[in-house]
Amino acid sequence: MLSDASPLTEVRRALEGKMAYSDRAWRELANLGCLSIMIPEAHGGLGLDGLELCIVAEEVGRSLTPVPILPSIYICAEAIRLYGSQAQQAAWLPGLADGSTIGTFVVGESKGANGTVEARFADGCLSGGKFVVPDGNAANVAVVATQTPMGMRLLLIDLDSNGIQRTPVASVDPSRPVSIVEFEQSPVEFLGLAGDAEWQHIRNRAAVLLAFEQIGAADRAIEMARDYALERKSFGRPIGSYQAIKHKLANAYAKNQIARAHAYHGAWALATGSPVLPLAAAAARISAIEAFSFAAQENIQTHGGIGFTWDADCHLFYRRARQQALVLGPVQHWKAQLLRELRGGFGDGGLG
Amino acid sequence: MNFDDNAEEALFRLRVRDWLEANAVRRDDRGNVDRSDTDARLARARDFQKRKTEAGFGAITLPREYGGGGGTAIEQVIYLQEEAAYDNQGVVDFFGVGLGMCLPTILHNGTVEQRDRYLSPGIRGEEIWCQLFSEPSGGSDVASARTSAVRDGDGWRLNGQKVWTSGAQFSDFGIITARTDADARKHRGMTMFIVDMKATGVEVRPIRQMSGECEFNEVFFDNVFVPDSLRLGAVNDGWNVALSTLMHERAGIGGRSRDLGWQRLLAMAEEVVIDGKPAIEDWRVTEPIVDSWLVEFGCRLISVRGQTALSRGQQPGPEQTILKMLKAPLIQQHAYLAMDMIGEAGMLTAASLGEDWEEIERAWMFGAGLRIAGGSDEILRNIVAERVLGLPPDIRIDKDIPFKEIPV
């Protein structure tokens, strides 16, 4: 389905600013029930665990499908499903499930375009910031993780309400657009009592799902490089017969197999509610960042000069690899988490 | 991927655990060097292999009629996982090559007489086997064998030299590749034989390796007579027989290796101080440990996936190829980090640092060897690129010409 609804030409249209996301692919995904896999049946979803969504994520990754599935489904819908009140679930989940509503997330204390930004919460309203928000212009609703007088809390904000400034900005991968968002006395609701632990849980689950997108995309980049190495001849023979190319691609394959192994482990931890999720999610995230970054950069290298042109598709992968390496926090952040889990005695990954 | 045994596997695992608890000694993880003499070590290994065979664990996947366990590949994996916590009494050192490579080759390629004669004593640990493929002119290039076998009455005369033969000094028999037709192309003119290592004209000389130890040998063959009844497979079909041997070598998945691992590095980092700061708070130290865990545990997960495939009666996927290629260099890197963590004292050896340090010293030395043995890092990358990714083979100037015309 995705290879029809979301060919790389669709990624290019988003990249060139002709659309914020692929409406065609988004509607197809919604029609097939891909967006509502984890949403309860009562709210228009399928009520399944995460494994099916992992499969969807890998295919979305393979096609670099330009849709807001990470902010809307992996994060916003999950936060509302897990921690929202009945009323909040009823208000938002049906729209998120059928794709008519798009969700995103805002991290209340984070690095903005010009240094650290902080949100101020007072009297049920949020002010301040110049937050970097994925799909910030397309989104209708956001989960905000921010400090409040009651400590770190998850808040829900209707982005179509007054006092919110949203400005699209240039980013490394315009096929996954980013906005700068400012709040001015914008009304918010608490998402139950959810705080830092719950936010980390959401991030860990999203890291596993995103890892599946990354390994799908890395596989595709490796195939592209392989196909080109078979076709391109240099000094009278296919460049794929040279060990310099072979060993490079064998390394890319090995890195992605390690990432795949950790992603499967993460999927198992996610679906079973295992206490090793923080370890498995960090491992999936780190190895997927490294595998996709390597595959994307060496795909360009294997293509040589043609790989550096706008018309070749290599840069679509190179851009997405960077965007996905940063969107849930950089590799260093996740390595620190992994070290904490190893020191905490979780290094056997629940395998005994 | 499945992390749990099914009911039959769980039952088998319990049986293995009970037997090991009653018949083997748990090992500690420090100081794994056995300094007793060869005869004493061999006697212990023989005794343990004999008892394993009586319990059905001596050669789990080989047929019962020869003393094997008649079991499945997954049972073999389960046994190895459980045995990893115990001292295996040197069984692998003396019988590993025979059980893992030579005897399966005889089972699949040998005559009825050969199977009846050799399988049972080999499985019971009564006879020791070695594998004679590598030669001074070619290690990775198995089809380049120059040792010759020439017809002589009802047998053959072997002349030439083999190298890197583990266990040749105490082996009773070996399987050997020899050139039987130098006019044919290199892959078409080799034949495999069983050779009596005590026969006249066989000379074994130890190789002193860079660690100072002698685990491998050179073996010289001077007009050694081999009866035709000991030919393994058809004349000039030795390449295919050798391929089947090497497949058995690479099928050894699933066992938990006990190499110097991230746990020890992490434990060291918790104790050591570098530049006035605990090493555990120093990213120069902890990042390589985190990276190591990612590869080590990733490899373990890939093994589990292979194990799940075996358990379902399927072939493990091509991703199994990358395990050795990733793990061998890691051992070397682990040793460097451990030595670096203790500063200049890292120049010393276990002789002054204590028995505990032997594991690290060995990882440093043998890490270098592991990257070469059983398929070098480079050959394994070629295999991944050619067999998994489908890239074309390198141009081989020696492939399509008569062997005797290949430049030496």
Side-chain angles (χ1 to χ4, degrees):
Chain A
M1 183 282 285
L2 283 174
S3 51
D4 286 342
S6 174
L8 291 180
T9 48
E10 192 81 345
V11 185
R12 236 168 231 288
R13 288 185 59 218
L15 183 72
E16 289 167 352
K18 298 193 173 82
M19 57 189 187
Y21 63 93
S22 169
D23 189 49
R24 181 160 69 130
W26 191 240
R27 268 187 286 118
E28 286 281 353
L29 284 166
N31 289 343
L32 284 174
C34 296
L35 304 181
S36 62
I37 285 168
M38 290 199 286
I39 291 171
E41 289 175 74
H43 299 299
L46 302 174
L48 299 169
D49 63 22
L51 293 179
E52 292 79 5
L53 193 54
C54 292
I55 297 166
V56 170
E58 184 174 347
E59 292 310 313
V60 165
R62 260 195 86 75
S63 297
L64 301 184
T65 310
V67 289
I69 194 169
L70 164 87
S72 194
I73 302 301
Y74 307 163
I75 296 189
C76 189
E78 278 292 275
I80 295 171
R81 173 179 81 86
L82 289 169
Y83 308 119
S85 65
Q86 277 301 324
Q88 287 165 335
Q89 293 191 13
W92 296 108
L93 290 182
L96 290 165
D98 69 19
S100 60
T101 300
I102 291 174
T104 188
F105 63 100
V106 178
V107 181
E109 189 182 354
S110 54
K111 288 185 178 143
N114 304 300
T116 302
V117 288
E118 263 180 276
R120 296 184 305 278
F121 172 85
D123 305 324
C125 288
L126 201 64
S127 296
K130 275 200 177 183
F131 300 101
V132 176
V133 180
D135 296 285
N137 271 61
N140 311 105
V141 58
V143 171
V144 185
T146 193
Q147 285 299 328
T148 71
M150 288 76 79
M152 157 87 185
R153 282 285 182 269
L154 293 189
L155 309 172
L156 199 59
I157 188 162
D158 181 345
L159 292 175
D160 296 325
S161 61
N162 293 330
I164 300 174
Q165 280 228 14
R166 302 193 256 174
T167 317
V169 285
S171 65
V172 295
D173 179 11
S175 74
R176 296 281 59 251
V178 173
S179 297
I180 297 287
V181 177
E182 287 176 84
F183 301 102
E184 185 57 49
Q185 290 292 315
S186 313
V188 289
E189 295 172 16
F190 283 95
L191 208 53
L193 291 175
D196 190 46
E198 288 75 15
W199 177 235
Q200 295 311 324
H201 187 61
I202 295 283
R203 280 167 51 89
N204 286 333
R205 293 173 64 89
V208 173
L209 291 161
L210 183 57
F212 275 91
E213 284 194 39
Q214 291 166 300
I215 58 175
D219 262 349
R220 178 91 175 263
I222 293 167
E223 285 164 25
M224 267 179 78
R226 189 264 322 267
D227 291 348
Y228 189 75
L230 282 169
E231 170 196 314
R232 172 75 176 178
K233 292 194 177 63
S234 198
F235 304 104
R237 51 197 268 209
I239 61 169
S241 67
Y242 291 107
Q243 290 195 350
I245 297 289
K246 280 183 185 169
H247 290 190
K248 178 201 298 300
L249 298 187
N251 287 339
Y253 172 82
K255 279 180 196 291
N256 209 32
Q257 285 299 327
I258 290 290
R260 182 174 286 281
H262 285 297
Y264 286 172
H265 185 233
W268 166 78
L270 180 148
T272 57
S274 164
V276 303
L277 179 65
L279 169 107
R285 172 100 182 112
I286 299 163
S287 53
I289 288 174
E290 291 177 348
F292 186 20
S293 296
F294 187 79
Q297 85 197 19
E298 300 309 322
N299 184 31
I300 299 175
Q301 185 69 18
T302 304
H303 276 72
I306 196 79
F308 190 63
T309 63
W310 183 263
D311 286 343
D313 287 331
C314 301
H315 70 110
L316 307 183
F317 291 82
Y318 191 61
R319 290 170 182 280
R320 187 65 63 83
R322 220 35 339 237
Q323 185 264 339
Q324 292 188 329
L326 293 162
V327 68
L328 282 178
V331 73
Q332 291 81 2
H333 165 88
W334 293 93
K335 282 191 176 178
Q337 173 166 326
L338 181 50
L339 180 63
R340 282 196 300 278
E341 297 301 312
L342 291 178
R343 292 184 72 188
F346 291 98
D348 74 352
L351 265 59
Chain B
M1 185 160 41
N2 191 348
F3 300 112
D4 300 316
D5 293 333
N6 65 32
E8 275 170 52
E9 290 161 10
L11 215 63
F12 181 79
R13 192 181 292 277
L14 280 179
R15 197 156 71 75
V16 169
R17 277 188 193 165
D18 285 348
W19 187 83
L20 283 168
E21 205 46 51
N23 289 277
V25 185
R26 276 191 179 272
R27 56 186 276 172
D28 56 43
D29 278 345
R30 301 291 164 89
N32 295 321
V33 184
D34 185 347
R35 291 207 173 71
S36 49
D37 66 61
T38 306
D39 287 347
R41 285 170 54 219
L42 177 54
R44 278 203 302 275
R46 280 219 154 101
D47 173 61
F48 192 52
Q49 180 61 20
K50 182 162 168 274
R51 285 186 291 128
K52 277 175 75 169
T53 305
E54 283 160 4
F57 304 132
I60 289 172
T61 57
L62 296 185
R64 280 197 186 164
E65 55 180 309
Y66 303 113
T72 60
I74 190 70
E75 289 176 347
Q76 171 75 8
V77 170
I78 291 170
Y79 181 84
L80 287 176
Q81 287 172 340
E82 295 298 322
E83 196 192 54
Y86 294 85
D87 185 345
N88 69 25
Q89 305 290 343
V91 156
V92 174
D93 300 345
F94 292 100
F95 304 111
V97 174
L99 294 169
M101 298 173 79
C102 304
L103 301 179
T105 304
I106 292 169
L107 178 70
H108 295 296
N109 301 279
T111 61
V112 176
E113 291 76 20
Q114 288 167 352
R115 292 202 292 254
D116 287 346
R117 163 62 189 84
Y118 295 110
L119 290 180
S120 179
I123 291 171
R124 287 173 203 288
E126 289 157 14
E127 289 169 350
I128 303 176
W129 286 77
C130 62
Q131 182 251 77
L132 301 139
F133 288 4
S134 289
E135 295 196 7
S137 63
S140 296
D141 185 3
V142 176
S144 70
R146 292 186 173 272
T147 293
S148 70
V150 176
R151 281 273 187 194
D152 181 15
D154 59 352
W156 303 77
R157 288 281 170 191
L158 279 179
N159 281 285
Q161 183 193 348
K162 296 288 177 176
V163 74
W164 297 117
T165 315
S166 311
Q169 72 274 35
F170 38 68
S171 283
D172 300 292
F173 301 98
I175 58 175
I176 185 167
T177 48
R179 183 71 42 193
T180 37
D181 184 356
D183 292 319
R185 286 176 285 153
K186 63 190 275 193
H187 293 91
R188 299 287 173 80
M190 291 201 310
T191 304
M192 180 90 84
F193 298 94
I194 293 169
V195 61
D196 179 352
M197 293 296 286
K198 313 287 187 213
T200 311
V202 178
E203 189 196 345
V204 178
R205 291 185 205 155
I207 297 173
R208 188 159 189 225
Q209 65 220 37
M210 69 183 217
S211 62
E213 293 156 287
C214 300
E215 291 170 313
F216 305 97
N217 304 277
E218 300 175 286
V219 185
F220 295 84
F221 295 88
D222 180 15
N223 232 21
V224 175
F225 182 75
V226 178
D228 193 53
S229 61
L230 293 191
R231 174 165 47 78
L232 254 179
V235 175
N236 293 334
D237 197 32
W239 171 246
N240 287 319
V241 182
L243 278 185
S244 93
T245 308
L246 295 172
M247 252 164 53
H248 294 300
E249 181 181 29
R250 294 201 179 119
I253 67 160
R256 290 271 295 280
S257 64
R258 311 285 295 187
D259 306 316
L260 174 60
W262 63 274
Q263 291 97 331
R264 176 138 191 210
L265 296 175
L266 193 68
M268 279 183 76
E270 299 273 7
E271 287 167 15
V272 168
V273 171
I274 296 175
D275 298 340
K277 204 169 80 170
I280 195 74
E281 291 167 18
D282 188 334
W283 268 102
R284 296 170 301 179
V285 174
T286 52
E287 187 168 23
I289 298 175
V290 166
D291 291 342
S292 279
W293 179 87
L294 283 163
V295 176
E296 260 189 71
F297 191 70
C299 286
R300 191 171 160 205
L301 290 168
I302 290 171
S303 296
V304 171
R305 215 153 99 220
Q307 194 182 325
T308 307
L310 286 178
S311 161
R312 292 177 183 156
Q314 300 158 348
Q315 277 296 313
E319 70 280 354
Q320 305 295 330
T321 320
I322 68 174
L323 298 181
K324 192 239 165 202
M325 165 182 127
L326 294 179
K327 283 162 83 171
L330 210 56
I331 293 166
Q332 214 171 20
Q333 297 305 318
H334 283 172
Y336 290 166
L337 183 59
M339 291 157 107
D340 287 345
M341 267 197 268
I342 64 166
E344 284 87 340
M347 286 190 287
L348 305 177
T349 68
S352 43
L353 294 170
E355 205 187 341
D356 240 21
W357 197 255
E358 263 166 5
E359 187 187 26
I360 289 162
E361 206 179 313
R362 288 182 72 78
W364 168 59
M365 270 295 169
F366 288 89
L370 274 173
R371 292 185 49 200
I372 300 162
S376 68
D377 287 3
E378 293 76 15
I379 288 289
L380 292 175
R381 279 176 174 77
N382 285 350
I383 288 172
V384 169
E386 292 173 21
R387 309 232 179 107
V388 183
L389 297 176
L391 291 172
D394 210 336
I395 290 170
R396 291 182 188 166
I397 58 165
D398 64 350
K399 207 179 163 194
D400 298 316
I401 56 173
F403 182 78
K404 63 182 181 191
E405 289 173 19
I406 297 172
V408 183

